[in-house]
Structure formats: structure tokens, C-alpha cells
């Protein structure tokens, strides 16, 4: 859950898995929809960028603690997370609803 | 050929079960009755409340997830040992509110409050003013007796912000 020193290899694999989820699974991007997916317990994994404001980050972590969903702190800021999702905008937090073809 | 179809059918049968089981492990709904929440918006912002009934998919009038909460409008004051019985009675008074609140305007907490308010706090208690007053009076009694037992102390302390 909490990232220690991330090696290059695991970072690549997260990016690969994220690309696969974008292609084959269901996800929502953005703080409001992340909270919505947590409230309706549809989220399976939450990914937060490292420059997410700390109050927002702890709020998402608290919600995730209440519904026992994992949170992954992405090793990169919201620009990198947006690029990893294949989008041309920044993404600070995203929620994976259905992993599609990735193994969980 | 029939065997292969049967096998695929059986595999499909189990796959759905396994997926459902895996999904069930990850999902825990937490906006349930008896959950303590903090109201974030509106006149009662910053007040603690307890969910009495939740409408996850909304109703026809409110097409969003919302819930019926009963909360504390005026917290009981701090009761000290020196107080006389009359003073403690006066200080332990609680003023309540009943409201339908959007999920977005609530902050759920890890606390719960086990007070049976389901018969008292209902949606049709909100229709007319005197029904609402009667319901508020009843919840006020239940909250006050819970406060006097000294349990759920977090719920009855004012949130400082």
C-alpha cells in the first residue's frame, strides 16, 4: 500500500497494468468520482498521485479505510499519472472499478 | 461436443461465483444505519449526526444517494462533579435535528451509535412541522439517555474547528 523506495522495475509494471486497465477495464478519474465510487463500494483500488494535497489524500485514505479498499500511492505527480493513464490532462486520483484483463 | 459445452457452462458458472466472491471481499458498504457522520454543508455544518436510514440509489424526488440523519443541534455542556442534580440535568440537555442529507455533504467516521431511532425518525415525520417536532422530541430523549450513561462520548462532544 504505502510506497517505500520504488525500483524502476515495479514502477514499469504498475504503468503497464494501468495501461491494461485503461484499455480493458472500468475506472473513474478525479476526486469527486473517486469518493462516489468509494461510497457506493464500487472501487477496487484507488491510486493517488504524490502531489495530491495532503488533506485530500488523507480524506481518500480514510474513506478507503472505511470500505477496506486498497490505496496505492503512485510514484509520480498528477502529470505523470495522467500520462500513465494515456490522457492529456493531469489526474490526481483515480479509482479502478473493474480491473478487466489484469490480474489483481 | 455436448461435454465441451457442459464444461464451458460449468466453468462459466464457477467463474462468476469466484468473481463475485473476489468482489465481495473488496467491497464494504459503510454508509449504513447507526453510522456516525459529520454534516459538512448547510446550517448544521460541523455537527455530528447518526444515519437512521440510507437511500443509496435515491428516490424519485431526490435522484442521488442520500440518507436520513438525526443529529445534534446543540451539544450538551460539560458536566463536572461539583454540579448539583438540577445543574447536571440542565447541562445534559441535547437539542436535535432530523434531516435528509446528500451523501456528498457528509463525512463518514469510523464511529457508530447504536440508538434505535428507526421507529421514531421516518421520512414522513418530515412532512409536517408538528410531526417533525414530535420526532425531534423523541430523539432528544433517546440521545439524552444515551449521554447520561456516558457511552459514545465522542458523539456528544463538539467538534472543534
Amino acid at each position: 500500500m504505502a510506497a517505500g523506495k520504488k525500483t524502476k522495475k515495479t514502477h514499469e509494471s504498475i504503468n503497464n497494468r494501468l495501461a491494461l486497465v485503461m484499455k480493458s477495464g472500468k475506472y473513474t478519474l478525479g476526486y469527486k468520482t473517486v469518493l462516489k465510487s468509494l461510497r457506493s463500494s464500487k472501487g477496487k483500488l484507488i491510486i493517488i498521485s504524490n502531489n495530491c494535497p495532503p488533506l485530500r489524500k488523507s480524506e481518500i485514505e480514510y474513506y478507503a479505510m472505511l470500505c477496506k479498499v486498497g490505496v496505492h500511492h503512485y510514484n509520480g505527480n498528477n502529470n505523470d499519472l495522467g500520462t500513465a493513464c494515456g490522457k492529456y490532462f493531469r489526474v490526481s486520483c483515480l479509482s479502478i472499478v473493474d480491473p478487466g484483463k489484469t490480474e489483481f | 461436443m455436448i461435454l465441451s459445452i457442459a464444461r464451458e457452462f460449468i466453468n462459466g458458472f464457477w467463474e462468476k461465483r469466484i468473481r463475485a466472491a473476489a468482489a465481495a471481499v473488496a467491497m464494504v458498504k459503510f454508509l449504513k444505519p447507526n453510522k456516525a457522520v459529520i454534516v459538512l454543508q448547510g446550517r448544521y455544518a460541523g455537527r455530528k449526526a447518526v444515519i437512521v436510514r440510507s437511500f443509496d440509489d435515491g428516490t424519485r424526488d431526490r435522484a442521488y444517494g442520500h440518507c436520513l440523519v438525526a443529529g445534534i443541534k446543540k451539544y450538551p455542556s460539560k458536566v463536572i462533579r461539583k454540579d448539583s442534580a438540577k445543574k447536571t440535568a440542565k447541562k445534559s440537555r441535547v437539542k436535535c435535528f432530523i434531516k435528509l442529507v446528500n451523501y456528498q455533504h457528509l463525512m463518514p467516521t469510523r464511529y457508530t451509535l447504536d440508538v434505535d431511532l428507526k421507529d421514531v425518525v421516518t421520512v414522513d415525520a418530515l412532512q409536517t412541522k408538528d410531526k417533525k417536532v414530535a420526532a425531534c422530541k423523541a430523539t432528544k430523549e433517546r440521545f439524552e439517555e444515551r449521554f447520561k450513561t456516558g457511552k459514545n462520548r465522542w458523539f456528544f462532544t463538539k467538534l472543534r474547528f
Side-chain angles (χ1 to χ4, degrees):
Chain A
M1 240 179 62
K5 184 92 190 292
K6 270 250 170 293
T7 62
K8 197 84 187 292
K9 201 155 64 145
T10 43
H11 190 67
E12 301 282 307
S13 84
I14 287 161
N15 283 350
N16 292 341
R17 289 215 225 140
L18 205 53
L20 203 51
V21 171
M22 295 293 135
K23 208 163 36 150
S24 63
K26 289 205 185 48
Y27 57 92
T28 60
L29 307 173
Y31 171 66
K32 271 172 79 168
T33 56
V34 161
L35 288 189
K36 253 198 191 156
S37 75
L38 284 171
R39 271 185 218 118
S40 57
S41 25
K42 286 213 174 33
K44 304 269 188 323
L45 177 68
I46 314 291
I47 301 179
I48 309 181
S49 68
N50 68 2
N51 66 344
C52 186
L55 183 62
R56 185 177 292 190
K57 179 156 60 168
S58 16
E59 189 181 356
I60 295 178
E61 285 171 355
Y62 194 81
Y63 269 80
M65 175 268 290
L66 286 176
C67 59
K68 304 203 209 312
V69 164
V71 168
H72 181 267
H73 294 99
Y74 186 74
N75 187 21
N77 63 5
N78 47 8
N79 285 312
D80 304 336
L81 190 50
T83 312
C85 298
K87 308 284 179 195
Y88 292 109
F89 45 81
R90 335 167 207 290
V91 168
S92 202
C93 40
L94 70 100
S95 157
I96 297 176
V97 172
D98 175 25
K101 294 253 179 6
T102 45
E103 352 74 48
F104 226 95
Chain B
M1 197 183 89
I2 297 176
L3 199 62
S4 65
I5 293 174
R7 196 178 299 139
E8 235 194 72
F9 176 79
I10 292 173
N11 282 347
F13 176 85
W14 280 115
E15 191 184 300
K16 210 190 289 184
R17 303 293 140 134
I18 291 172
R19 273 219 169 185
V25 167
M27 282 189 208
V28 173
K29 271 183 50 52
F30 53 88
L31 286 169
K32 290 206 275 228
N34 293 334
K35 181 65 122 176
V37 297
I38 300 178
V39 179
L40 293 176
Q41 306 276 6
R43 195 154 52 112
Y44 299 116
R47 302 276 194 268
K48 296 181 187 168
V50 60
I51 296 181
V52 177
R53 200 167 154 212
S54 64
F55 305 91
D56 284 331
D57 300 314
T59 58
R60 211 143 35 91
D61 308 322
R62 289 171 177 252
Y64 44 83
H66 61 284
C67 53
L68 185 58
V69 297
I72 302 182
K73 198 170 8 176
K74 193 159 170 197
Y75 290 90
S77 325
K78 209 153 177 31
V79 173
I80 52 180
R81 212 152 48 117
K82 245 175 35 165
D83 291 335
S84 61
K86 199 162 76 151
K87 221 164 185 187
T88 41
K90 195 143 196 218
K91 277 189 178 180
S92 320
R93 286 192 306 195
V94 173
K95 207 154 160 72
C96 304
F97 67 89
I98 305 174
K99 196 166 165 50
L100 281 170
V101 189
N102 191 347
Y103 281 158
Q104 279 191 341
H105 303 148
L106 292 176
M107 179 71 202
T109 64
R110 61 184 170 91
Y111 299 93
T112 55
L113 186 77
D114 268 323
V115 178
D116 187 24
L117 290 167
K118 251 189 285 273
D119 45 341
V120 161
V121 177
T122 54
V123 176
D124 64 41
L126 291 171
Q127 308 295 8
T128 63
K129 182 111 196 219
D130 44 352
K131 273 201 237 175
K132 191 167 176 185
V133 167
C136 278
K137 277 217 178 99
T139 57
K140 172 186 154 76
E141 274 159 22
R142 310 240 171 126
F143 278 167
E144 273 180 10
E145 72 176 90
R146 181 53 66 94
F147 173 67
K148 289 195 176 108
T149 65
K151 293 205 202 122
N152 305 115
R153 200 160 293 189
W154 178 84
F155 187 76
F156 292 105
T157 47
K158 195 159 149 180
L159 185 68
R160 309 276 310 163
F161 60 93

